[in-house]
Amino acid sequence: MIQNRRKFLKKSAGLIAGAGVVSGFISKYATGFAKASTEKAASGKSIRWGMVIDMRKCIDGCVKCIEVCHVTHNVPEFDNPKDEIKWIWKSDYAKVFPSKDQQFVSEETRQKPFLSLCNHCADPPCVIVCPTGATFKRKDGIVEMDFHRCIGCRFCMSACPYGSRSFNWRDPRPAIENITPEYPTREKGVVEKCNFCSERLAKGQQPACVEECPENVLTFGNLYDKNTEIRKILKENPTITRKPELGTNPSVFYIT
Amino acid sequence: MIRKVPRGSMMNEKPLIFAGLAVFLLAFSYPFWQSTEDEDIPQIAMQTKGEECVAPVEYMRKNHMKLLDIWRDSVVRDGDRFHIMPDGSKVEKSLTKTCLDCHISKEKFCEECHSFASVKPYCWECHVVPKIGSHTELSGIDDVEENKQNLLKNLLARNKPLAESKQSLNKGGQ
């Protein structure tokens, strides 16, 4: 076949144009698919655990949920606030909801210590950054940590927009007064956070904080099941989530 | 300056080289051909409560570490927490709650062999060694109430004075 310069250029231009069209089509299809997998996951999966925190009922100064959580999961108590490990804690309104979408919030709400914990986001940034797969999203929506695989790089801590993760700067064992033997402790150099009591869910129990709360502030349930208490509450009350502008889609909702 | 070695001298060193080689080979292969007396190997303390192990004994002797690895991944990553026993009953996939509930002494069941084989697994950096006895007598379980009381005090002290710490709030993160 006679191949001159003109023919060669024509052919290669056609080839490049064709490749461009195909790759564009592929990437469009791929992103469409990815979107579907995060948003329409409800159809394929049957469980997404979530929580509603009714701050109207939460009593100032009551820390029963924090106490029971930290005992159940052997969370150490360090004297130095820099070493603090927390799974669930109370924080100022301004810290929990720093977004500017809430205007003219009542003084009462503003003064109230708000309960904070891992949001178990539907699109968790911590999972994306974890280099070892130690943090991962379970099929039931829980963002779980595999402490065995954590190398302590703390990428997840910088990725989490809610400060839900703590790092063990020191050996936690000596800082646990009495160890609950059913749950392991952690090692120095490992990150930890709330696990929505996945070990209790496996036995058919509610999370410890939900069970312990005397005022029924916390409601836990399956967000994908329309007949659950949590969906009823979400239907009947206006709720807010933390930093919605980030698109993490938290599974923890607040009634203020 | 390069020193020239006379050609014939290599021949004189031959027996020496082979003798050295023989000594080296003997020393190197010693662990392979020396007979191990049975009493040298630690006998696993079979101070068990149950009748049957989660898998055949021969398999467990060789592969217990593999089984524990599989258990770990299936519990943590797949949330599959139960092991079906050969007789059909269910047990938790747990070193502390299942293995050491039956083989009640960690010192005798785990450590004797591991120190003999110079294996140092790091299970116990995090997992809590159960006290010898049943689940209800696990270490520290009696003190849970007392523990709760102490923790309550600390937490109250930490979480209550939010108003006082208002000034410092602006500095902190989340």
Side-chain angles (χ1 to χ4, degrees):
Chain A
M1 200 169 85
I2 302 157
Q3 191 82 293
N4 59 26
R5 186 182 157 84
R6 190 179 164 78
K7 264 187 188 163
F8 172 75
L9 282 176
K10 264 186 180 172
K11 271 183 189 165
S12 47
L15 205 71
I16 289 165
V21 168
V22 169
S23 70
F25 182 73
I26 287 172
S27 70
K28 198 177 177 186
Y29 175 76
T31 50
F33 182 74
K35 224 176 198 175
S37 71
T38 53
E39 282 170 14
K40 300 281 176 197
S43 53
K45 293 169 189 168
S46 54
I47 298 179
R48 177 181 160 192
W49 294 117
M51 188 184 273
V52 171
I53 303 177
D54 191 345
M55 284 310 296
R56 297 171 302 186
K57 297 183 194 162
C58 186
I59 304 170
D60 240 358
C62 172
V63 286
K64 281 193 170 166
C65 52
I66 307 174
E67 170 204 342
V68 75
C69 170
H70 287 192
V71 169
T72 310
H73 300 110
N74 290 323
V75 177
E77 285 278 310
F78 289 109
D79 292 332
N80 187 348
K82 283 183 176 176
D83 297 329
E84 189 188 17
I85 309 281
K86 48 198 188 343
W87 283 34
I88 176 169
W89 70 101
K90 282 187 171 181
S91 200
D92 206 63
Y93 174 84
K95 277 180 169 184
V96 179
F97 296 103
S99 309
K100 297 284 178 271
D101 58 337
Q102 303 292 323
Q103 295 189 71
F104 306 112
V105 178
S106 74
E107 192 61 19
E108 191 194 350
T109 307
R110 215 190 294 270
Q111 291 297 330
K112 211 163 199 178
F114 268 62
L115 269 181
S116 329
L117 70 161
C118 171
N119 281 286
H120 296 277
C121 310
D123 294 302
C126 54
V127 172
I128 297 167
V129 297
C130 181
T132 61
T135 292
F136 61 101
K137 209 179 127 204
R138 300 187 352 161
K139 282 177 193 153
D140 57 6
I142 295 180
V143 177
E144 179 85 289
M145 273 208 70
D146 184 347
F147 299 119
H148 303 105
R149 296 195 192 184
C150 180
I151 56 168
C153 71
R154 289 169 283 139
F155 284 7
C156 55
M157 289 178 74
S158 25
C160 176
Y162 309 107
S164 299
R165 293 170 162 272
S166 311
F167 184 66
N168 282 284
W169 292 99
R170 296 162 180 281
D171 180 15
R173 278 260 171 112
I176 307 167
E177 265 181 82
N178 289 296
I179 290 171
T180 306
E182 284 81 6
Y183 200 81
T185 65
R186 264 70 59 193
E187 254 185 302
K188 184 181 171 184
V190 167
V191 173
E192 61 181 88
K193 67 165 196 80
C194 159
N195 66 347
F196 255 3
C197 281
S198 57
E199 84 283 359
R200 287 172 60 88
L201 295 175
K203 293 179 199 158
Q205 294 167 314
Q206 294 259 310
C209 54
V210 178
E211 206 173 271
E212 191 75 6
C213 180
E215 301 295 320
N216 286 325
V217 171
L218 306 163
T219 309
F220 185 83
N222 182 5
L223 295 169
Y224 284 166
D225 184 353
K226 281 179 185 166
N227 305 315
T228 48
E229 175 78 12
I230 189 167
R231 283 293 293 270
K232 203 181 142 209
I233 293 173
L234 284 171
K235 200 177 166 188
E236 289 168 2
N237 299 279
T239 54
I240 53 173
T241 55
R242 295 179 69 184
K243 301 188 183 174
E245 69 277 12
L246 297 178
T248 55
N249 295 326
S251 301
V252 176
F253 300 83
Y254 290 84
I255 302 173
T256 55
Chain B
M1 197 183 91
I2 300 162
R3 195 162 57 101
K4 275 198 176 164
V5 182
R7 222 171 173 227
S9 69
M10 279 294 279
M11 302 303 282
N12 300 340
E13 285 170 6
K14 219 176 187 177
L16 210 64
I17 289 168
F18 277 104
L21 208 62
V23 169
F24 167 74
L25 279 176
L26 273 176
F28 184 78
S29 62
Y30 175 75
F32 296 102
W33 52 258
Q34 63 119 3
S35 65
T36 315
E37 296 298 323
D38 272 353
E39 52 260 35
D40 287 352
I41 300 171
Q43 297 298 308
I44 301 167
M46 277 299 174
Q47 207 182 352
T48 55
K49 278 194 341 196
E51 296 278 297
E52 206 170 11
C53 198
V54 294
V57 176
E58 275 313 306
Y59 173 84
M60 289 305 284
R61 287 222 172 109
K62 278 185 187 165
N63 300 308
H64 58 279
M65 65 299 278
K66 285 182 196 162
L67 182 99
L68 287 172
D69 222 32
I70 294 165
W71 274 15
R72 171 176 80 180
D73 279 356
S74 80
V75 169
V76 181
R77 304 199 76 88
D78 308 329
D80 177 11
R81 287 174 181 263
F82 296 100
H83 173 83
I84 310 294
M85 293 285 283
D87 66 357
S89 60
K90 258 186 181 179
V91 292
E92 235 179 300
K93 287 177 181 171
S94 167
L95 169 64
T96 50
K97 289 175 205 164
T98 300
C99 300
L100 288 180
D101 183 46
C102 218
H103 303 276
I104 52 181
S105 169
K106 177 208 157 211
E107 278 75 27
K108 286 185 179 142
F109 180 61
C110 306
E111 270 162 26
E112 265 188 30
C113 247
H114 286 166
S115 63
F116 174 78
S118 191
V119 184
K120 295 182 187 75
Y122 41 88
C123 314
W124 310 108
E125 310 264 313
C126 295
H127 290 277
V128 185
V129 184
K131 270 186 183 168
I132 292 180
S134 65
H135 285 329
T136 47
E137 292 161 41
L138 287 167
S139 58
I141 204 160
D142 305 328
D143 310 321
V144 166
E145 265 315 304
E146 190 197 338
N147 187 16
K148 273 189 177 178
Q149 291 305 315
N150 290 333
L151 196 72
L152 184 66
K153 274 182 224 155
N154 294 343
L155 283 170
L156 277 170
R158 188 198 284 173
N159 283 279
K160 212 176 180 181
L162 268 173
E164 294 163 29
S165 57
K166 266 278 155 64
Q167 296 93 328
S168 62
L169 281 183
N170 300 331
K171 292 183 228 161
Q174 301 298 323

